[in-house]
Amino acid sequence: MADVYDCTDPEQRAAGIAAAAAALSRGELVLLPTDTVYGVAADAFTPDAVARLLAAKNRGRHMPVPVLVPEASTLAGLVTVVPPDAHALAREFWPGGLTLVMEHTPTLSWDLGESEGTVAVRLPDDDVARDLLRRTGPLAVSSANRSGRPAATSAEQAEYQLGEHAAVVLDDGPREVGAPSTIVDCTGDRPRVLRVGAVDVEALRAVVPALVE
């Protein structure tokens, strides 16, 4: 049974973030709010924890887990290079509901799935998530739902689907966006939309006209 913390209460929020950070350091899973939907998190640098996350979601390694970061500057330690288009998109839409796929630094000791040398990175626009990320560093985070089911937009929905697999639940109320992040692959000659979500494609194209779907 996961420990649930009401993050709308300052004392519970502080206690919950501390408990979540401790659980993640032990390789356990945490359910947390983001600016789009609720997510399930694992330490990005603990392969067993990431494998536990994939198993909880009933998701295969062919769908690598994205990584959330606390600040845009964290990118420098994760990717080989930030392409100009990716830099422009991050500058305009981070923090926010945009995930960027780039080539990751080959020396990193992580296993996010069959990522073929890439990583999907996002800076969420959510205070609870970012407070936790500042304590833990980058986290592997996927939507808190079983594969094929709707993404959880509340802590209750997240706990119903994945609570038995998590040690801590951070409840910060419902999330009204209700859509996962938009994903853009920045590893090719032209940025390519892999999934349409919280950020509109036309808004992206206004920043990077070369964007393709």
Side-chain angles (χ1 to χ4, degrees):
M1 180 71 71
D3 295 326
V4 181
Y5 294 85
D6 178 3
C7 292
T8 63
D9 175 89
E11 290 187 4
Q12 284 205 44
R13 171 173 165 162
I17 289 173
L24 290 161
S25 72
R26 297 190 298 267
E28 297 177 305
L29 304 183
V30 167
L31 303 181
L32 78 166
T34 77
D35 49 334
T36 54
V37 296
Y38 271 74
V40 54
D43 177 18
F45 299 100
T46 303
D48 286 347
V50 175
R52 196 172 296 119
L53 185 158
L54 289 170
K57 285 178 59 75
N58 194 30
R59 174 169 165 170
R61 286 177 50 82
H62 63 286
M63 297 177 67
V65 185
V67 170
L68 296 188
V69 295
E71 309 292 344
S73 59
T74 309
L75 265 183
L78 302 181
V79 304
T80 55
V81 63
V82 180
D85 287 338
H87 181 75
L89 290 170
R91 185 176 59 237
E92 182 69 22
F93 297 105
W94 279 8
L98 176 65
T99 297
L100 300 174
V101 178
M102 288 169 276
E103 295 180 0
H104 73 71
T105 302
T107 55
L108 292 177
S109 58
W110 62 14
D111 182 1
L112 303 171
E114 296 173 6
S115 61
E116 299 181 350
T118 67
V119 62
V121 186
R122 186 165 86 85
L123 173 59
D125 188 13
D126 184 273
D127 289 341
V128 172
R130 290 183 70 183
D131 281 354
L132 178 59
L133 287 159
R134 290 184 183 106
R135 281 200 178 212
T136 63
L139 293 175
V141 180
S142 183
S143 56
N145 58 281
R146 297 278 287 176
S147 186
R149 295 183 183 177
T153 57
S154 69
E156 291 80 9
Q157 292 175 9
E159 189 177 9
Y160 176 76
Q161 295 199 57
L162 297 180
E164 65 181 299
H165 302 284
V168 173
V169 179
L170 300 179
D171 183 353
D172 195 41
R175 289 299 178 258
E176 296 183 3
V177 173
S181 64
T182 297
I183 302 176
V184 176
D185 183 352
C186 297
T187 62
D189 294 335
R190 300 175 67 184
R192 182 165 58 92
V193 177
L194 301 182
R195 181 180 73 190
V196 178
V199 178
D200 181 78
V201 172
E202 291 310 311
L204 297 173
R205 193 168 281 128
V207 176
V208 179
L211 186 85
V212 296
E213 292 185 66

